[in-house]
Amino acid sequence: MSQIFQRYNGIQGADDTVSQGLNTLFIVMDCCGVSPVSPFANDFQLLRTNYWINVGMRGPNTIPYSCCREATLDNYKFGQNLACTVAQQAPLVRPRGCYEAFRQLATDVSTGAIVILVIVMVTELLAVMSAIIMVRAIDREKNNTLDPSNPKMYRGREIPLPDSKPR
């Protein structure tokens, strides 16, 4: 995640898919950076992202606006709040890093995912067993009806004998 994060270019004019994806991730997952942002350091600075290196594009901001709680998918490209992006005031900044957000998401859905996987596996196992039973039954019936020595061969199908002609 850190290697992908280093390619982050910011929000203003960021047309690359990595930056757009990370901005969307910040907003949807309510996170910022790989690890939580602190007033003393952040991943944009520590990982030497393109956003941090390009001072002309970021200006005085130390974190992008997409890391602010008030940012939405509609306004993150052009919004501005210096109390959040420069001063990084705690109530305004997204509180956790994205690594923690992913870990929490995996923990939350793991029980449900395990239950669904077990149900799917049991269903597939029953389907395979049913198919095997059906194939064996069809094969057995086919073998019984084609065997001329089998007394059941003609059961249910009477063969009319030729009528004798009255004279």
Side-chain angles (χ1 to χ4, degrees):
M1 191 168 189
S2 297
Q3 291 174 350
I4 293 172
F5 194 67
Q6 286 177 326
R7 297 177 16 207
Y8 179 71
N9 288 313
I11 54 171
Q12 269 70 8
D15 292 330
D16 63 295
T17 55
V18 171
S19 296
Q20 288 178 356
L22 286 171
N23 285 321
T24 303
L25 177 73
F26 296 160
I27 294 167
V28 171
M29 297 289 291
D30 194 30
C31 62
C32 182
V34 178
S35 54
V37 173
S38 78
F40 308 107
N42 61 60
D43 288 332
F44 303 97
Q45 178 183 11
L46 296 174
L47 297 173
R48 305 285 297 155
T49 63
N50 293 340
Y51 171 78
W52 185 260
I53 293 169
N54 191 353
V55 177
M57 189 171 237
R58 73 175 164 87
N61 296 335
T62 54
I63 62 172
Y65 183 67
S66 57
C67 283
C68 298
R69 286 186 175 193
E70 65 190 41
T72 65
L73 292 174
D74 296 327
N75 72 357
Y76 80 89
K77 286 188 178 182
F78 305 105
Q80 188 71 348
N81 183 347
L82 297 178
C84 175
T85 59
V86 176
Q88 298 176 27
Q89 293 177 1
L92 302 175
V93 177
R94 298 188 188 275
R96 61 187 178 166
C98 292
Y99 181 78
E100 175 64 28
F102 275 121
R103 193 171 67 84
Q104 184 65 41
L105 179 66
T107 302
D108 291 347
V109 300
S110 64
T111 304
I114 290 171
V115 168
I116 290 172
L117 284 174
V118 167
I119 290 171
V120 167
M121 287 174 40
V122 167
T123 303
E124 287 187 18
L125 183 63
L126 289 173
V128 168
M129 289 173 41
S130 297
I132 291 171
I133 291 169
M134 286 175 29
V135 166
R136 292 183 73 198
I138 291 169
D139 189 45
R140 193 175 312 124
E141 186 172 322
K142 192 176 187 182
N143 289 339
N144 287 341
T145 58
L146 296 179
D147 183 12
S149 65
N150 183 4
K152 297 182 198 175
M153 182 173 171
Y154 297 108
R155 185 180 291 170
R157 291 182 251 152
E158 293 191 20
I159 300 173
L161 296 173
D163 289 338
S164 48
K165 291 183 183 182
R167 289 196 180 196

